[in-house]
Amino acid sequence: MELEDEVKMLRRMREDVITAARDMKAALLDLYAPRQTPRPEVLTAVQLLASGEGFDAECPNHARRRAGLCQADDVEPECAPLWPEALWERLDDMAVGIALSAVCAEAGRAAIHAYITRMLESAAPGRKKRSKPTARPRG
C-alpha cells in the first residue's frame, strides 16, 4: 500500500471516529435529558389497580375484557364508573408518590445532564487550554 493510500485511509478512519463521537455525544445527552411527565408510570398504576380489582372483566371495552388486563390509555379508564371512592384515593396516593419520585429523579438527571454537557463542551476538539501565567519569572 502506498503512502498516499494510507493517508486517505487514515483520514477516512478519523472522520468515522469523529462521526461516532458526535453520535455518542448526542445519545449520551439524550439519555440524561430531563423527561416531561411521569404519565406512563401513572397509567401503569391505573392499569394495575383496575386489573387487581377485577374491573378488566367488567370493562365496557370488549377488547380489554377479552385481553383480561386493563389497558387504560387515559388516567380515567373506561371502567372508571365502576371504581369506588377508596380506589380513587389509592390512585391519588400512588400518583403523588410517582410524581414525587419523578421530581427527585429528574433533579438528578438534570444535574447529570448539566455535568455531561459541561464536560463534553470542554473536551470539544479545537479548543486548547491556556496555561495561567506564573507569578515568578523563570530564569
Side-chain angles (χ1 to χ4, degrees):
M1 185 180 277
E2 291 190 30
L3 181 60
E4 188 175 308
D5 293 334
E6 287 183 29
V7 169
K8 285 181 184 178
M9 183 181 70
L10 288 173
R11 284 186 180 151
R12 235 182 331 208
M13 289 173 64
R14 178 178 173 260
E15 291 302 317
D16 290 344
V17 168
I18 290 171
T19 301
R22 286 185 186 136
D23 291 345
M24 286 188 299
K25 177 181 175 181
L28 190 60
L29 289 173
D30 193 39
L31 177 66
Y32 286 100
R35 297 185 311 167
Q36 297 300 316
T37 61
R39 183 174 170 78
E41 291 87 344
V42 174
L43 284 177
T44 301
V46 168
Q47 295 165 358
L48 179 71
L49 288 175
S51 294
E53 294 292 321
F55 295 138
D56 51 305
E58 301 175 43
C59 185
N61 185 315
H62 177 69
R64 292 180 185 157
R65 279 197 317 268
R66 189 178 36 195
L69 291 172
C70 181
Q71 301 165 359
D73 52 6
D74 194 3
V75 174
E76 189 169 315
E78 290 185 51
C79 61
L82 304 172
W83 286 40
E85 188 63 32
L87 196 58
W88 281 112
E89 290 174 7
R90 189 169 165 202
L91 176 63
D92 286 342
D93 291 344
M94 290 173 80
V96 168
I98 290 168
L100 178 62
S101 176
V103 166
C104 294
E106 291 311 306
R109 289 171 67 91
I112 291 170
H113 187 264
Y115 175 75
I116 290 172
T117 302
R118 280 194 316 271
M119 296 306 292
L120 290 173
E121 286 175 356
S122 68
R127 291 188 181 181
K128 294 183 180 178
K129 292 184 179 180
R130 295 182 182 179
S131 60
K132 295 181 182 179
T134 57
R136 287 187 260 156
R138 294 184 185 188

